[in-house]
Amino acid sequence: MYSSELHAFGEKLLKEHQIEIKGKDILFAERFRTHLYAIENLFNEIYGDHPHRNKGFDQLLLSLITHYKERNATFIQKDADKQKVGNWFLSHEITGMSLYVDRFAENLQGLTHKLSYFKELGVNFLHLMPVFESPAGESDGGYAVSNFRKVDARFGTNEDLEKLIHQMQHQKMYLMLDIVLNHTSYHHEWAKKAKEGDSFYQDFFYFFDDRDLPNQYDQTMPEIFPESSPGSFSYVRELDKWVMTVFHHYQWDLNYRNPYVFNAMLDNVLHYANLGVDILRIDAPAFIWKELGTTCQNLPKAHTLLRLIKKCVQVASPGMALLGEAIVAPAEIIKYFGTDDFTAQECDIAYSATQMALQWDALATGDTRVMLAAQHDILQKPYGCTWINYTRCHDDIGLGYDDYMIERAGFNPYQHRTYLKNYYAGWQEGSVAAGALFSVNPKTNDARISGSLASLCGLQKAVEWNQPHEIENALRKIILMQAQTMCIGGIPMLFYGDELAYTNDYSYLQDSGKSYDNRWMHRPIMNWEKNEKRKNSSSFEGRIFLATQKLIEIRKSLPILSDHKNITWMTPHNIHVAGFVRSIENKKLFCLFNYKHAGSYITWHAFKEHGMLPIRLLDHWTGESYQVGNDHEYFILPAYSFAILEVLE
Ligand code: GLC
């Protein structure tokens, strides 16, 4: 709401900081004025009653101005270019890869030399797993940050990162980095000061004098790593106090009830924007607000904080989009795009964790009905926002979709999940998967799944057993999984190694800093000699690399695959086949995926729904074209295959 007092204060600040409101800074000044009231309202929602509210708010506005002033001209120009395009991240021309710098290319310099590899594959967007300082052995893969501004020596220097970014800009590549918002390492300067008894910094975390409140919280807070880090609180000997540690004991949760914590982390967010980040991955946003008596996940104030960050970014560095890494229940994920007045104004992007898990569900059961039942929730994504679509990432696969989805498909949720876990752990009779259960919770029977794409698809075992038929099936499954990810709408994000069919790497068991966490089995170390095999199309590596490359090319050639919320699921005609239509203006593209170990038949009638009668279809994958037949005739999809069918006439 307009307030003349706030307006005057804002104008005074702009003037004091020599913002040329009629000159070169005109766009910034406009954004600052436009969003000022919303920023104040959001800030007040959280900190309105805090004794340091005024100081905190002034500090925040100052931070917006100083970060804008520090932003280099290239990025300011990019902001303007992106704003002209609108929601640039909806584009079918973006394909990403997520990787560990050291495991992929030793260090940042090595990665800079590998940029041509991404070009060869067609990848133009990189997610670098956390590169900032994090104590070896207690790093959670870099998600326990001890210095948000300093690149960890393992990867190189800040200068190396800048050089890499410069090269990426030059090659028109996009960059994603993480902001680990929920916690810091207990070696972070703030935690160290807190441990030394500094009360200002103790208020950066959640400290408790005894177990009273922690015990109460424990009643309702689910455990994240029940095996390796049970509970959500750790004892701090130096202070004889307990501190909240939702993830590992070495990751201390930040206290966002304190405006100085918010401001300090916002400074880091804007600092990353000024490094040249195109998409900021907000790690674990579901956890940033805690309240006694709740699960301490997905709380309304967590959304308020994210909205506030979004507004601040829109003012200081509007070209940087926000990805909320909320791996939660399907209906909760959607809320990270914003609700009510903030629809499409919170996170621009979220992981389609439900769709990812449901593809694994379909692969294990050969049945796509649960996937279909979930679309009601998944399709709630507002226009203007998008998904990261993926088959694997560095984390485990959680089966966190709703029971009703499983029931609607005619299964018993408990038995169904048990089957899936047994299947991917390789215990189920007939299973070719070689994964492992992650974070088994004996109290709730919950467990998630680890394992590389190729190993979960059966390649590892098929090779061990020397079974050519199973090898063939495994390769087809890998391509099928990637194909659906590429066609469904959103940014496909490959996980490094999957484009070369890397199977599980068990070397983590020899490293005491990793052996407690079996997610490391699917975080391979690249072997560049072996990667040369991609040039031989009859090797596994070559076959999968070429297929991935081809899928990316097809995607880039089809603007209809941009995410304009232009997807309609087909009526199920065959439970083994997932199918949807992408459409734009008068164009249509049918995408069909057969999750069965044998051929599946689809009546041609299926193509005549949605008020049109196509005559001829072209499959972009095989290059074959088809005359649409009579309703009693069939389009046939071979085992674990797919079709990307454009309506030609
Ligand atoms: C996110 C990361 C995961 C990490 C956790 C704690 O979920 O993806 O790897 O363990 O946050 O930071």
Side-chain angles (χ1 to χ4, degrees):
M1 227 211 330
Y2 178 78
S3 125
S4 56
E5 217 177 295
L6 180 63
H7 176 78
F9 181 62
E11 295 304 302
K12 184 172 140 257
L13 274 181
L14 292 176
K15 201 160 164 210
E16 256 173 37
H17 292 89
Q18 283 116 39
I19 298 292
E20 295 177 25
I21 47 179
K22 290 203 176 118
K24 68 173 176 43
D25 303 320
I26 185 166
L27 291 177
F28 170 75
E30 261 175 29
R31 299 193 302 263
F32 184 84
R33 286 167 170 159
T34 310
H35 296 297
L36 188 57
Y37 310 102
I39 291 178
E40 190 193 41
N41 285 340
L42 290 164
F43 190 86
N44 283 347
E45 243 183 72
I46 310 263
Y47 304 113
D49 295 330
H50 196 281
H52 295 171
R53 182 262 169 219
N54 290 349
K55 198 168 164 209
F57 187 62
D58 295 359
Q59 201 181 54
L60 180 149
L61 293 186
L62 188 61
S63 170
L64 299 184
I65 295 175
T66 46
H67 280 94
Y68 164 71
K69 288 187 82 168
E70 284 165 9
R71 192 157 177 81
N72 80 34
T74 315
F75 299 146
I76 292 184
Q77 183 56 47
K78 262 185 99 181
D79 288 341
D81 295 346
K82 283 179 179 165
Q83 279 193 299
K84 246 183 246 158
V85 178
N87 298 321
W88 55 274
F89 39 78
L90 305 182
S91 169
H92 64 109
E93 290 178 342
I94 307 176
T95 302
M97 181 181 278
S98 180
L99 57 90
Y100 287 95
V101 171
D102 52 346
R103 301 173 89 75
F104 188 90
E106 269 180 48
N107 52 35
L108 288 159
Q109 284 187 11
L111 187 61
T112 311
H113 290 126
K114 286 274 181 276
L115 292 184
S116 58
Y117 175 75
F118 303 112
K119 198 157 187 200
E120 181 188 341
L121 181 59
V123 160
N124 58 356
F125 167 44
L126 295 186
H127 170 212
L128 308 187
M129 300 297 296
V131 290
F132 294 99
E133 211 171 68
S134 174
E138 288 181 332
S139 88
D140 188 21
Y143 286 99
V145 182
S146 51
N147 187 334
F148 288 101
R149 303 289 177 103
K150 188 168 174 281
V151 165
D152 197 296
R154 274 179 292 162
F155 307 119
T157 61
N158 285 16
E159 222 194 345
D160 292 337
L161 179 62
E162 278 166 32
K163 281 192 189 146
L164 169 71
I165 294 173
H166 186 76
Q167 279 304 317
M168 287 178 64
Q169 301 272 340
H170 189 66
Q171 303 194 19
K172 302 211 170 343
M173 293 180 78
Y174 296 100
L175 171 70
M176 176 154 96
L177 292 184
D178 279 87
I179 178 81
V180 187
L181 210 58
N182 181 63
H183 44 256
T184 72
S185 154
Y186 66 173
H187 288 296
H188 189 283
E189 191 195 350
W190 303 334
K192 282 191 193 155
K193 287 193 174 148
K195 250 186 279 179
E196 283 160 13
D198 185 330
S199 62
F200 181 78
Y201 287 103
Q202 284 183 2
D203 202 28
F204 269 46
F205 303 96
Y206 289 93
F207 275 105
F208 304 91
D209 290 335
D210 52 42
R211 280 289 320 183
D212 254 17
L213 281 167
N215 285 345
Q216 291 180 46
Y217 272 107
D218 271 346
Q219 307 269 312
T220 50
M221 278 173 93
E223 293 174 279
I224 308 300
F225 298 130
E227 287 174 313
S228 58
S229 228
S232 299
F233 299 87
S234 301
Y235 182 64
V236 182
R237 201 173 17 88
E238 293 87 336
L239 298 171
D240 186 25
K241 285 181 197 267
W242 292 81
V243 70
M244 189 183 285
T245 54
V246 168
F247 290 87
H248 294 100
H249 69 94
Y250 51 77
Q251 290 163 307
W252 288 11
D253 285 58
L254 285 166
N255 169 18
Y256 281 95
R257 287 168 188 268
N258 176 351
Y260 297 128
V261 168
F262 179 82
N263 286 349
M265 292 307 283
L266 179 69
D267 275 349
N268 289 327
V269 166
L270 299 178
H271 173 76
Y272 291 168
N274 283 355
L275 285 178
V277 168
D278 295 287
I279 300 181
L280 186 71
R281 180 186 184 274
I282 300 184
D283 184 60
F287 298 86
I288 57 181
W289 191 263
K290 281 69 177 191
E291 262 165 45
L292 200 61
T294 72
T295 57
C296 297
Q297 290 183 32
N298 306 312
L299 295 179
K301 289 225 164 92
H303 290 283
T304 310
L305 288 168
L306 293 171
R307 289 166 187 186
L308 183 54
I309 293 175
K310 176 68 189 164
K311 287 281 169 210
C312 293
V313 168
Q314 267 176 308
V315 172
S317 47
M320 182 170 81
L322 300 182
L323 159 68
E325 187 252 344
I327 312 298
V328 292
E332 291 297 332
I333 297 183
I334 294 290
K335 294 184 187 159
Y336 288 83
F337 293 120
T339 47
D340 305 320
D341 288 352
F342 284 87
T343 303
Q345 294 199 53
E346 199 174 303
C347 295
D348 305 288
I349 309 169
Y351 282 93
S352 199
T354 311
Q355 176 62 30
M356 180 275 296
L358 288 169
Q359 289 184 199
W360 287 107
D361 181 311
L363 200 72
T365 58
D367 189 319
T368 62
R369 282 177 293 176
V370 188
M371 188 191 296
L372 194 66
Q375 297 309 320
H376 173 76
D377 278 2
I378 297 176
L379 293 174
Q380 304 292 327
K381 173 174 68 62
Y383 183 84
C385 300
T386 200
W387 297 115
I388 289 278
N389 291 311
Y390 60 122
T391 56
R392 288 303 292 112
C393 71
H394 67 288
D395 279 331
D396 44 284
I397 301 167
L399 306 172
Y401 37 94
D402 296 307
D403 285 355
Y404 88 79
M405 297 169 180
I406 302 176
E407 279 159 0
R408 206 167 276 177
F411 303 120
N412 168 300
Y414 177 80
Q415 286 169 1
H416 188 73
R417 288 202 176 85
T418 306
Y419 172 84
L420 295 175
K421 286 181 279 184
N422 289 344
Y423 182 90
Y424 286 114
W427 303 331
Q428 183 70 36
E429 213 192 304
S431 161
V432 289
L437 295 188
F438 173 71
S439 268
V440 181
N441 189 336
K443 289 177 232 158
T444 58
N445 241 315
D446 271 351
R448 282 114 70 184
I449 295 156
S450 284
S452 79
L453 173 65
S455 294
L456 294 178
C457 284
L459 187 62
Q460 185 178 322
K461 278 196 183 162
V463 170
E464 266 166 36
W465 298 338
N466 194 16
Q467 287 190 355
H469 175 70
E470 286 304 340
I471 292 177
E472 177 59 26
N473 269 345
L475 297 173
R476 295 171 77 95
K477 285 186 202 169
I478 295 172
I479 304 168
L480 169 72
M481 292 289 277
Q482 299 292 41
Q484 187 162 8
T485 298
M486 298 265 178
C487 294
I488 201 162
I491 305 174
M493 180 69 85
L494 304 169
F495 189 60
Y496 78 106
D498 288 348
E499 79 285 15
L500 293 158
Y502 268 67
T503 49
N504 291 341
D505 175 351
Y506 297 100
S507 63
Y508 77 99
L509 291 168
Q510 264 67 61
D511 178 343
S512 63
K514 298 190 170 72
S515 55
Y516 62 89
D517 185 341
N518 69 21
R519 289 177 298 176
W520 287 100
M521 74 167 60
H522 55 255
R523 299 168 177 177
I525 297 172
M526 284 294 229
N527 173 341
W528 287 96
E529 232 166 81
K530 176 170 124 84
N531 295 355
E532 281 297 301
K533 289 200 198 159
R534 71 183 184 278
K535 295 174 182 155
N536 168 4
S537 61
S538 57
S539 67
F540 307 145
E541 290 82 357
R543 185 139 160 224
I544 297 301
F545 190 85
L546 287 172
T548 313
Q549 195 182 44
K550 184 169 166 188
L551 282 169
I552 298 172
E553 253 169 49
I554 293 174
R555 193 179 131 78
K556 282 196 180 152
S557 71
L558 293 171
I560 202 168
L561 290 177
S562 286
D563 188 8
H564 292 295
K565 208 167 156 55
N566 53 342
I567 184 168
T568 310
W569 281 72
M570 291 166 76
T571 320
H573 285 269
N574 183 325
I575 58 164
H576 309 296
V577 178
F580 49 76
V581 195
R582 304 292 309 270
S583 45
I584 205 154
E585 289 154 12
N586 54 359
K587 292 202 163 88
K588 297 237 182 280
L589 187 78
F590 287 94
C591 305
L592 295 167
F593 307 88
N594 178 22
Y595 280 88
K596 192 178 171 186
H597 65 279
S600 283
Y601 291 59
I602 293 281
T603 157
W604 282 111
H605 175 70
F607 298 88
K608 299 176 188 170
E609 292 168 346
H610 313 292
M612 52 152 196
L613 293 173
I615 300 168
R616 232 156 49 82
L617 302 170
L618 168 72
D619 185 350
H620 281 270
W621 179 247
T622 59
E624 268 181 67
S625 68
Y626 299 89
Q627 201 71 21
V628 174
N630 294 317
D631 291 356
H632 62 274
E633 293 169 336
Y634 295 95
F635 176 72
I636 305 167
L637 284 155
Y640 301 122
S641 75
F642 60 96
I644 307 173
L645 299 161
E646 185 181 347
V647 177
L648 292 183
E649 45 177 306

